[in-house]
Amino acid sequence: MIRTHYCGKINTSDVGQIIEIYGWVNRKRNHGGVIFLDIRDIRGIVQVVINPDNKDFSLAETIRNEFVLKISGLVIARDKGLSNPKLVSGEIEIKAQNIEILNTSKPTPFQINAINTSEEIRLRYRYLDLRNNAMQKRLHLRSRVTHYIRKFMDKHDFLDIETPFLTKATPEGARDYLVPSRTHPGKFFALPQSPQLFKQLLMMSGFERYYQIVKCFRDEDLRADRQPEFTQLDIETSFMNENEIMTIMERMTRGLFKSVINVDLGNKFPTITYEDAMEKYGLDCPDIRIPIQIISIDKLMKNVDFKVFSKPANNSNSRVAALKISGGASISRKNIDKYTKYVGIYGAKGLAYIKLNKNGPTSPILKFLDDEITNKIIEITGAKTGDIIFFGADKTKIVNESLGNLREKIAKDLNLFDTQWAPIWVVDFPMFGINDNGSLNATHHPFTAPIVDKETLKQTAKTAFSRAYDLVINGSEIGGGSIRIHQVEMQKTVLKLLGISNQEAQDKFGFLLDALEYGCPPHGGMAFGLDRLVMIMTGTDNIRDVIAFPKTQTATCLLTDAPANVPKKLLRELNVKISLPKKN
């Protein structure tokens, strides 16, 4: 016989049949001389019973967890009261007739479905960790996500076109991974941070609608939702403006959530400007499930004697803001100290607060504020007895990041969410950011089109908006895009404003600048972080949980022990010489 059934698909309709299954031993139990095996395959688990009169009983006694077995037997109904409602196969069991051990297993370094195994051990033995039921479900869901995306893209006339992995280093906001060329000594390829320039070239080639589910690479400092190699859904279209692109991408996202996890994201995603997002939420990826906003109190603080507040209130590059937490007066001093340390990560020098207790407001800072100012703060924030007000007073960037992240941390700690899912579009991003030395940097990338014409852009570069848009769900940016520059003079203007000389522009982007002069259509696109999207849909907060073979936060692979040394002979062939930093 060959496999006739998957373990997780067997049910009462199969009672009376002789079947054959393959799988791993998930669990073994010996009850009064009768052996029970839970057999696991890709579809689930089924219980097998081996009676003492079975010819393979002595063989069954040698079986341990994770042995690979082939079993044939009779499907029978379980005795009354012994069913397992958690399993599809919970009302039946297989009475074994023949057992064959296809492979044995050493004792595993951890229990496959244990929830307290360290991540280091899980990643070192990833092939075992992937047998875990939770990991199996996440990767199955990921497969359904990509399947839906491909169907949607095909239905809307997008072509799946591959772009190169070995390409040229271009400024994308992070460091490139470089690949030495053996045939061109001293020269290097770069692994793509995104297919950005190639997908623009495809628009110039007349394909009009392109997509690709593609690996990208960034050599940057990592965190829980980032990886050095990641997967994105890459999209580009011609002859569509930002509203049209956002509409079709919203339709795809809404359908994806409904189809894969049965979540209704609503008929129309709300939109917020970048400026309003920073003013109200402190971050450009706001989690609007949290009914708390940051409130500016600069005007109120300009003339107070408390220099900690009045100094930034009178500085155009600084900000004084308040964050009211309803019911937050119950937050202990110990937790306030914890939050003070937390905002220090973002540069905040401290965390002032006022608690509103039954006997009135209390705070170490009240001695620096008169009653009138205190009452006005309470009035502006709408605080009531039982609430707490936190304050940020520093450079605008520090206040926004510290209070914005504090808002989300407290909401998570106190479960202050008023809905489960909250998508939002963020638009009207500034065209450029301003460095400490006054020079400009591209907020998204240097190929994003500004809202204004090139002459106006030259005069208003520091305040101009771009035609960019981000899609945020539950405080995570899952996708971002823009209308691109399709005229060569505008592209040259943007590069010049970024401090890139004509020669440097020609060296790095000459092929793009040339292509723009051959009838380039207006075009734009978007890229979704597929790993992050699946992470949100599965409810985990660690991106490594939705990638089959991820890297650690130090960009290493514990399974294969990469990166690793290579033979000196290979380095010589590549004309590469290693010069390590001296140890302290």
Side-chain angles (χ1 to χ4, degrees):
M1 292 179 66
I2 60 172
R3 172 192 260 170
T4 61
H5 291 69
Y6 285 100
C7 297
K9 294 291 187 179
I10 307 168
N11 55 45
T12 53
S13 67
D14 300 305
V15 170
Q17 293 187 41
I18 302 293
I19 67 170
E20 184 160 288
I21 60 171
Y22 292 76
W24 288 264
V25 177
N26 195 66
R27 187 182 175 202
K28 177 184 176 182
R29 306 180 304 285
N30 194 326
H31 290 174
V34 178
I35 295 174
F36 292 89
L37 301 177
D38 290 342
I39 304 300
R40 179 189 73 242
D41 65 13
I42 196 171
R43 299 296 185 188
I45 292 176
V46 69
Q47 179 173 282
V48 175
V49 57
I50 302 122
N51 293 318
D53 58 356
N54 188 296
K55 64 181 179 61
D56 292 327
F57 187 82
S58 59
L59 178 68
E61 289 184 309
T62 69
I63 290 171
R64 294 196 303 266
N65 287 359
E66 301 309 313
F67 275 33
V68 186
L69 305 182
K70 171 184 175 182
I71 297 176
S72 61
L74 176 67
V75 180
I76 61 174
R78 293 198 193 189
D79 292 339
K80 190 174 181 179
L82 297 180
S83 62
N84 184 347
K86 294 181 181 180
L87 299 176
V88 173
S89 63
E91 294 183 2
I92 60 90
E93 60 189 10
I94 299 173
K95 184 178 180 182
Q97 295 178 346
N98 296 293
I99 302 170
E100 181 180 345
I101 297 176
L102 300 178
N103 213 338
T104 61
S105 173
K106 295 195 304 183
T108 56
F110 59 92
Q111 292 185 1
I112 297 300
N113 286 300
I115 60 174
N116 58 352
T117 306
S118 73
E119 187 176 51
E120 180 180 353
I121 295 295
R122 288 176 56 206
L123 294 180
R124 190 174 301 281
Y125 297 93
R126 189 61 163 183
Y127 46 87
L128 295 178
D129 184 50
L130 289 177
R131 297 180 188 177
N132 181 294
N133 184 52
M135 290 301 302
Q136 292 266 325
K137 287 182 176 179
R138 290 173 187 140
L139 292 185
H140 280 162
L141 185 144
R142 182 181 178 120
S143 179
R144 297 204 306 275
V145 167
T146 56
H147 178 68
Y148 178 90
I149 288 170
R150 291 189 188 281
K151 283 178 60 180
F152 183 93
M153 291 287 117
D154 290 343
K155 182 180 178 181
H156 290 81
D157 298 325
F158 286 84
L159 288 175
D160 183 359
I161 304 176
E162 294 180 343
T163 53
F165 274 8
L166 294 177
T167 181
K168 189 176 184 178
T170 58
E172 286 269 4
R175 288 181 290 272
D176 289 312
Y177 279 101
L178 299 178
V179 180
S181 170
R182 179 184 59 81
T183 54
H184 299 277
K187 294 186 178 181
F188 295 81
F189 293 105
L191 299 179
Q193 295 184 37
S194 84
Q196 180 62 45
L197 296 184
F198 286 105
K199 66 179 180 179
Q200 289 190 244
L201 292 174
L202 287 171
M203 297 302 101
M204 300 171 198
S205 304
F207 286 100
E208 294 198 18
R209 292 194 179 191
Y210 141 94
Y211 88 97
Q212 186 181 187
I213 296 176
V214 60
K215 280 284 188 185
C216 301
F217 307 86
R218 293 182 183 176
D219 185 9
E220 60 183 349
D221 296 332
L222 305 182
R223 60 190 190 201
D225 63 348
R226 285 184 179 171
Q227 281 280 291
E229 56 176 320
F230 57 96
T231 306
Q232 70 181 36
L233 166 63
D234 204 53
I235 299 160
E236 200 77 5
T237 68
S238 295
F239 308 116
M240 293 179 74
N241 62 31
E242 47 266 68
N243 291 329
E244 292 171 312
I245 295 172
M246 290 163 66
T247 296
I248 195 170
M249 293 299 98
E250 182 175 317
R251 190 182 306 145
M252 183 199 73
T253 305
R254 192 183 300 113
L256 174 67
F257 272 72
K258 185 64 177 176
S259 174
V260 176
I261 59 174
N262 196 29
V263 166
D264 187 353
L265 292 179
N267 293 327
K268 179 65 178 174
F269 297 173
T271 300
I272 190 172
T273 66
Y274 170 86
E275 185 176 356
D276 281 350
M278 300 304 290
E279 177 76 13
K280 296 176 181 179
Y281 304 108
L283 305 172
D284 62 3
C285 48
D287 190 340
I288 58 172
R289 295 176 300 167
I290 307 166
I292 303 169
Q293 293 186 4
I294 298 169
I295 299 170
S296 290
I297 54 173
D298 300 279
K299 292 181 180 178
L300 186 61
M301 294 297 160
K302 283 191 174 182
N303 297 316
V304 299
D305 293 331
F306 191 30
K307 298 298 183 184
V308 172
F309 284 176
S310 61
K311 187 176 179 180
N314 286 283
N315 188 325
S316 61
N317 296 319
S318 298
R319 183 183 189 190
V320 184
L323 186 70
K324 181 204 75 176
I325 307 297
S326 297
S330 60
I331 297 175
S332 67
R333 179 61 202 228
K334 179 181 178 181
N335 282 331
I336 290 176
D337 290 342
K338 181 181 72 174
Y339 292 139
T340 302
K341 186 176 180 180
Y342 178 74
V343 297
I345 297 171
Y346 305 98
K349 300 179 183 69
L351 184 62
Y353 67 91
I354 295 176
K355 279 188 177 185
L356 274 69
N357 297 316
K358 291 181 180 180
N359 297 326
T362 61
S363 169
I365 68 169
L366 288 183
K367 58 187 175 184
F368 303 109
L369 303 173
D370 59 39
D371 291 345
E372 182 182 359
I373 291 294
T374 301
N375 290 332
K376 284 184 177 179
I377 292 172
I378 294 171
E379 180 184 350
I380 290 171
T381 58
K384 298 185 174 77
T385 299
D387 298 346
I388 190 171
I389 306 167
F390 290 108
F391 298 93
D394 211 311
K395 291 181 179 178
T396 301
K397 182 176 185 294
I398 292 174
V399 172
N400 287 345
E401 289 188 355
S402 58
L403 289 187
N405 284 284
L406 178 65
R407 169 182 174 271
E408 295 191 357
K409 180 166 180 56
I410 292 177
K412 186 177 290 187
D413 290 347
L414 302 183
N415 192 24
L416 300 179
F417 304 102
D418 63 3
T419 187
Q420 188 175 1
W421 297 97
I424 188 168
W425 287 103
V426 183
V427 298
D428 291 347
F429 283 86
M431 182 69 182
F432 300 109
I434 304 174
N435 300 316
D436 291 338
N437 63 3
S439 62
L440 302 180
N441 62 75
T443 301
H444 276 74
H445 55 60
F447 319 110
T448 297
I451 288 177
V452 298
D453 60 60
K454 66 182 179 64
E455 294 304 323
T456 305
L457 182 65
K458 292 176 184 177
Q459 304 301 320
T460 62
K462 292 185 178 181
T463 57
F465 293 129
S466 69
R467 298 177 68 181
Y469 37 86
D470 283 357
L471 178 57
V472 176
I473 297 181
N474 293 1
S476 289
E477 178 202 331
I478 66 160
S482 69
I483 300 301
R484 323 302 188 189
I485 297 169
H486 71 283
Q487 295 170 324
V488 68
E489 291 304 319
M490 174 62 85
Q491 186 64 76
K492 288 179 178 179
T493 298
V494 169
L495 294 176
K496 189 172 183 179
L497 287 169
L498 289 170
I500 299 174
S501 68
N502 291 337
Q503 185 59 52
E504 185 181 2
Q506 193 60 39
D507 290 344
K508 291 183 176 179
F509 310 113
F511 63 95
L512 175 69
L513 298 175
D514 288 345
L516 288 172
E517 298 191 88
Y518 288 94
C520 176
H523 61 283
M526 192 164 177
F528 287 80
L530 189 70
D531 309 303
R532 190 177 298 176
L533 177 62
V534 176
M535 180 183 77
I536 293 170
M537 294 176 75
T538 58
T540 181
D541 58 2
N542 188 334
I543 205 166
R544 294 182 289 280
D545 285 342
V546 297
I547 300 172
F549 300 102
K551 305 293 187 292
T552 67
Q553 281 193 290
T554 58
T556 61
C557 175
L558 296 178
L559 175 64
T560 62
D561 197 25
N565 295 322
V566 297
K568 291 182 179 179
K569 179 183 176 182
L570 178 57
L571 293 176
R572 286 195 297 269
E573 289 179 355
L574 294 171
N575 298 286
V576 171
K577 184 177 181 180
I578 295 177
S579 177
L580 296 175
K582 293 181 179 179
K583 295 181 179 179
N584 292 330

